[in-house]
Amino acid sequence: MSSRRSSRSRQASGSRNITDDQINDLVSKLQQLLPEIRDRRSDKVSAAKVLQETCNYIRSLHREVDDLSERLSELLATTDTAQAAIIRNLLMQ
């Protein structure tokens, strides 16, 4: 009885594990999304490099969003109330 249970447990946990092929496919898809790597001539980039570049790219996008938010706040502060309301309404859509 216990051998059946352990066998089922191994099968269930095995079906939830991601395969090497799936990892390679996901890394390849990530690589295509990253401008820094996508534009390179060589196709051989390690998974670690792709993951590092992904982190760097996400950080850079966060900085860009923060900068744009700050610029937008400054713009809204210098415009009159009616124009600011129109801009806010456009952003909410």
Side-chain angles (χ1 to χ4, degrees), residues 2 6 25 30 39 51 54 60 73-75 80 85:
S2 79
S6 64
D25 185 48
L30 261 179
D39 298 338
L51 294 174
T54 300
S60 116
S73 293
E74 290 169 2
L75 175 66
D80 67 42

Side-chain angles (χ1 to χ4, degrees), residues 58 66 90:
I58 290 170
D66 289 343
L90 287 172

Side-chain angles (χ1 to χ4, degrees), residues 17 23 35 43 45 47 49 54 56-57 70 72-73 81 89:
N17 291 339
I23 291 172
D43 290 336
V45 179
K49 180 69 174 172
T54 300
N56 293 341
Y57 187 55
E70 187 176 321
L72 181 59
S73 293
T81 308
N89 284 336

Side-chain angles (χ1 to χ4, degrees), residues 32-86:
Q32 294 304 310
L33 295 172
L34 299 170
E36 182 69 24
I37 295 177
R38 182 184 60 220
D39 298 338
R40 291 184 186 164
R41 295 283 180 227
S42 106
D43 290 336
K44 291 290 182 185
V45 179
S46 71
K49 180 69 174 172
V50 171
L51 294 174
Q52 183 62 51
E53 288 298 326
T54 300
C55 292
N56 293 341
Y57 187 55
I58 290 170
R59 282 187 203 103
S60 116
L61 290 173
H62 277 288
R63 281 191 303 272
E64 190 174 338
V65 166
D66 289 343
D67 291 344
L68 289 172
S69 294
E70 187 176 321
R71 288 174 53 196
L72 181 59
S73 293
E74 290 169 2
L75 175 66
L76 290 174
T78 62
T79 61
D80 67 42
T81 308
Q83 287 176 332
I86 292 169

